Structure formats: structure tokens, C-alpha cells
Amino acid sequence: MVVMRSTGFLAWKLTEFARSKRWCCPHPVHSADAKTPSKKAAAHTLLVKGAPEAVLLRCSQAMLADGSVVKMDDAMRKAIIVKVETEYNSNKEALRCLAHAFKEGVDINDKRLGDPSKFKDIESDLVLVGIAGILDPPRVEVKAAIEKCKSAGIRVIVITGDNQKTAEAICRMIGVFGAKEQLKGKSFTGAEFHAMSEKQRISAVCKASLFSRTEPIHKQEIVKCRDRKSTRL
């Protein structure tokens, strides 16, 4: 990614996606082809993308269709999340959504840019631009493979980093869940699973077929609970 300045181009490096924050953004960095900016010309625009629920928490404003910018309050934030989950994540296409935001006036000489633990201090007071939906349907052969597993007595559990609503919609597509099946006790997020007692975790692993928004630590916990019960998966 690059950002244009009046004196030319400045190269940017990309902050890698971190599961703990669930977004990433490009940060400025000097390169051999870029002119070294002076402190007077150090302000640039920060671009951010990531999970809508995570990025929205960092936004204090939103850009409307006409280009105007308005203040974002909790009601607006909630309305956007509801729309994403009910119309984009849960429909037949089960879109994987990314929120996009920016922040102007970032000083590329700010020492916090070199310290990952300080990124959240800079990646705040963002302006939401919009939500992009990515269509990534399951392969056509997956549903038949799920059916074969079931007929062979193998229970299928899906563990994914996807949004819960998106993951549930996809699981219905591939036959892990029925089209009208009630999912209470059968679908949990990684955070929900992590907050359970050990007894509750073992029960969840025995009954649930989907764990979404999971991190590596959640996957380890799920496998450990499965091993304790010797569940055949």
C-alpha cells in the first residue's frame, strides 16, 4: 500500500492481523524509493480493516454516502452490527464482512508506530467508511463428504475464525446443521467456550457442532476436552 504526498509517494508497511484485536492497518515506513518526510509534513492517513464488531469499537465517526462525516454513537454502532449479522452474515450467501475505516493526521514520526503494544492508542477515533462483504462459498463436494461422515458414525465439528452468524449459515449450507435447526447449545464462540467451567466445556464439546471466532488457545482447549471424553470426531 502507498499513500500519496505532494512531494511523491511514501511506502507503507502492513501491521499484521492479530487475533487479539481482529483488525490490521498499514503503518508508514521509510524506504529507499521514498523521500524522508520532515516533521512538518509528517501527518498522513491511517487505513484500517477488520472484523466489524472490533473496528466499530475503535470508531468515533462515520462517513455518509455524500461524503459528510457524522458522530457515531452506541445506537448507530449497534444498528450497523445488527444489519451486518441479519442481512449480510446470515443470508443465503453468508458473506464474510470486513469493516473499513481511516484516521487522518497520523504522525509517521510517532514512536508508538514501532511498538505493537501501543498500536491501539493510535488506531482509535477512527472514521468508518463502510462494510465490504466477501462471498466465499463452500466447495460443492463438502456437503456430500459431511453426509458420508455422518453415515459412518463420525461426528463433525467445525472450528473457525469466522463470525458466528456467517459460520452458522455456512454450516446449514453444508449439512452440519439443518435448515431450520435450533442452535442453542450447538454453536458457541471461542470467547463463550473460554469462559465456561471445565465441566461445561466438556459438555459443549460433546453436544456442539460449531465453534466460531476461535483463537489458537480455544482450539487447544477444545481438543483437550475431546481427549478427556475420548470423543470420536
Side-chain angles (χ1 to χ4, degrees), residues 41-205:
H44 290 78
T45 300
L46 188 72
L47 309 176
V48 180
K49 66 177 179 178
E53 65 269 26
V55 174
L56 282 168
L57 288 176
R58 314 300 297 177
C59 292
S60 59
Q61 300 178 86
M63 180 176 286
L64 303 182
D66 61 3
S68 61
V69 175
V70 298
K71 182 178 180 181
M72 179 180 290
D73 55 19
D74 288 339
M76 179 187 292
R77 199 173 285 110
K78 182 178 180 180
I80 294 172
I81 288 295
V82 169
K83 187 174 183 66
V84 168
E85 292 190 343
T86 57
E87 296 186 25
Y88 304 153
N89 294 151
S90 303
N91 63 15
K92 293 181 179 180
E93 294 180 336
L95 299 179
R96 290 179 167 91
C97 295
L98 286 174
H100 297 263
F102 71 92
K103 180 180 182 179
E104 294 183 322
V106 176
D107 185 352
I108 63 171
N109 297 307
D110 194 323
K111 293 182 179 179
R112 293 176 296 176
L113 289 172
D115 183 356
S117 68
K118 302 293 185 181
F119 285 169
K120 282 188 177 182
D121 296 338
I122 297 175
E123 296 163 0
S124 61
D125 292 324
L126 305 175
V127 180
L128 178 71
V129 176
I131 308 289
I134 303 169
L135 178 60
D136 184 19
R139 294 182 180 182
V140 293
E141 64 268 23
V142 172
K143 189 170 184 178
I146 298 291
E147 277 301 318
K148 287 183 179 180
C149 287
K150 288 183 175 181
S151 63
I154 300 172
R155 183 167 145 257
V156 177
I157 293 181
V158 176
I159 305 175
T160 177
D162 281 344
N163 170 277
Q164 186 176 32
K165 296 298 183 182
T166 300
E168 289 174 352
I170 291 174
C171 281
R172 293 187 192 278
M173 291 180 188
I174 62 178
V176 172
F177 295 134
K180 301 296 183 179
E181 185 175 350
Q182 295 298 312
L183 303 185
K184 184 176 181 180
K186 301 176 184 179
S187 171
F188 298 98
T189 64
E192 289 171 341
F193 183 77
H194 188 70
M196 295 177 183
S197 66
E198 184 170 342
K199 184 178 180 180
Q200 289 173 323
R201 289 180 185 178
I202 292 174
S203 177
V205 169

Side-chain angles (χ1 to χ4, degrees), residues 1 12-15 24-28 45-49:
M1 288 189 178
W12 285 60
K13 68 178 180 179
L14 184 68
T15 299
C24 64
C25 71
H27 287 297
T45 300
L46 188 72
L47 309 176
V48 180
K49 66 177 179 178

